[in-house]
């Protein structure tokens, strides 16, 4: 069941069959229905989630009581709230499945023992964190330097598989504009 | 010279005296004058920089030919462009000293050998990357959910040492508003 995760880890570090068996003891597999929650605002985040199949998002509620989409994750992406996970403080985010999803779950209270058992996972997670941090910084750059139209085209070119699977109003929220603006872009009324 | 870095690493992992000596062989110490550059747009970023003493910023040039401040780093912070460093592509950012600065330099071409020599550094960097990623995600949340006034107060409460050392127009740029708006906040004209 965790073969997708094993394949992903092996892109970065080696894992022998004994380590794969060990990994399977630490990673729980969780099936979540569409719209099911992995985390809600106010809860302490307890795990890091690897998407084996499906699609999830994190979002927060603004002062105006609207949802703002913060992140998406499809197959081979991890999703969590590191602020809450590592500092054990209540989260400001929700994490929710957008499709029926299968997740590999690394619980925080098992993480240290897993890294002690398979030390090369430190390298794996360091590598994916570098990629995630680079992506977050590029996103901040684009918020301040691209127009809404440019952000949409950059995102849809970089991540076409997301655009097909994600409800349009969520994509608009993630990109920081209204669904009406996205409709106009897609209708060719804004360029 | 790298004792500040050794102390910082020891907050996360143990380092014996032999490892400290080894670390000193891998980390170069660089003195940079005020306004000196560690990276310029178009160059491939070659190193990760630990601020032993001083203050640096990264910034990019917008289409309107203005500087937008992206990050600050003071003592005990690392600064680099992971996108460029890991993918070996030209950077979109500048990294510049704002004060005469002393930096510990981990060159990318020495990094793998250093991690092989002192494997617990994988854990150290994984830990600081988690913190940096959590900070980047909170920053994105605040861009979309806080007013300029709220962002200024949150930043000045969280990082008072930055506010004292950083030119006000750079702080305004980092927070996403004009120097005039910041002057009004500080004069109590906006609340």
């Amino acid at each position: 069941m965790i073969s997708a995760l094993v394949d992903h880890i092996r892109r970065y570090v080696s894992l022998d069959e004994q380590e794969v068996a060990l990994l399977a003891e630490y990673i729980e597999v969780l099936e979540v229905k569409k719209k099911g929650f992995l985390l809600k605002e106010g809860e302490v985040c307890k795990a890091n989630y690897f998407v084996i199949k499906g699609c999830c998002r994190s979002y927060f509620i603004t002062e105006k009581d609207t949802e703002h989409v913060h992140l998406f994750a499809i197959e081979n992406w991890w999703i969590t709230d590191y602020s809450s996970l590592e500092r054990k403080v209540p989260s400001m985010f929700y994490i929710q499945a957008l499709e029926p999803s299968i997740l590999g779950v690394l619980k925080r209270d098992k993480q240290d023992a897993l890294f002690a058992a398979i030390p090369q996972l430190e390298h794996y997670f360091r590598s994916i964190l570098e990629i995630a941090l680079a992506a977050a910084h590029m996103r901040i750059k684009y918020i301040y330097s691209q127009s809404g139209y440019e952000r949409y085209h950059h995102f849809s070119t970089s991540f076409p598989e997301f655009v097909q699977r994600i409800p349009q109003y969520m994509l608009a929220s993630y990109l920081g504009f209204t669904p009406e603006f996205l409709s106009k872009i897609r209708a060719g009324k804004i360029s």
Side-chain angles (χ1 to χ4, degrees), chain A:
Chain A
M1 200 60 160
I2 63 162
S3 61
L5 175 57
V6 171
D7 291 345
H8 194 254
I9 293 172
R10 281 179 169 160
R11 291 188 201 172
Y12 298 88
V13 293
S14 61
L15 275 186
D16 63 30
E17 288 311 310
Q18 203 176 347
E19 287 163 338
V20 169
L22 204 54
L23 184 71
E25 291 177 22
Y26 284 92
I27 302 289
E28 295 173 30
V29 175
L30 179 69
E31 292 198 34
V32 189
K33 288 181 185 167
K34 183 174 173 173
K35 298 190 180 175
F37 285 95
L38 302 170
L39 177 69
K40 288 184 179 177
E41 183 184 345
E43 295 174 357
V44 173
C45 184
K46 295 280 175 54
N48 202 344
Y49 300 94
F50 178 82
V51 182
I52 295 169
K53 190 166 168 44
C55 178
C56 298
R57 64 163 177 162
S58 75
Y59 68 93
F60 59 87
I61 303 292
T62 68
E63 279 191 6
K64 291 176 185 162
D65 239 19
T66 57
E67 293 177 2
H68 186 96
V69 178
H70 184 64
L71 287 174
F72 296 109
I74 57 171
E75 288 82 8
N76 288 339
W77 292 55
W78 287 88
I79 189 164
T80 188
D81 172 7
Y82 278 109
S83 272
S84 174
L85 187 72
E86 290 302 317
R87 293 165 53 219
K88 299 181 174 60
V89 296
S91 179
M92 296 178 178
F93 296 95
Y94 295 78
I95 303 178
Q96 184 185 37
L98 297 179
E99 300 172 1
S101 298
I102 302 172
L103 305 155
V105 183
L106 174 53
K107 289 196 173 159
R108 183 63 189 87
D109 60 10
K110 289 187 176 181
Q111 185 180 291
D112 297 345
L114 175 62
F115 287 150
I118 311 175
Q120 64 270 38
L121 290 183
E122 296 271 12
H123 178 92
Y124 166 68
F125 278 99
R126 180 177 66 74
S127 301
I128 62 165
L129 280 161
E130 281 181 357
I131 294 167
L133 182 61
H137 281 302
M138 292 311 287
R139 185 155 164 224
I140 293 168
K141 179 182 186 295
Y142 292 137
I143 289 172
Y144 284 121
S145 63
Q146 289 186 331
S147 67
Y149 175 81
E150 287 169 334
R151 280 206 300 284
Y152 172 75
H153 271 272
H154 186 264
F155 185 86
S156 60
T157 310
S158 304
F159 306 105
E161 68 279 32
F162 279 80
V163 177
Q164 287 164 12
R165 289 170 70 170
I166 291 166
Q168 293 302 299
Y169 77 93
M170 290 191 192
L171 182 58
S173 169
Y174 174 83
L175 293 170
F177 45 70
T178 62
E180 292 73 24
F181 187 82
L182 182 55
S183 296
K184 284 183 187 168
I185 291 176
R186 290 168 69 100
K189 292 179 183 164
I190 293 170
S191 62

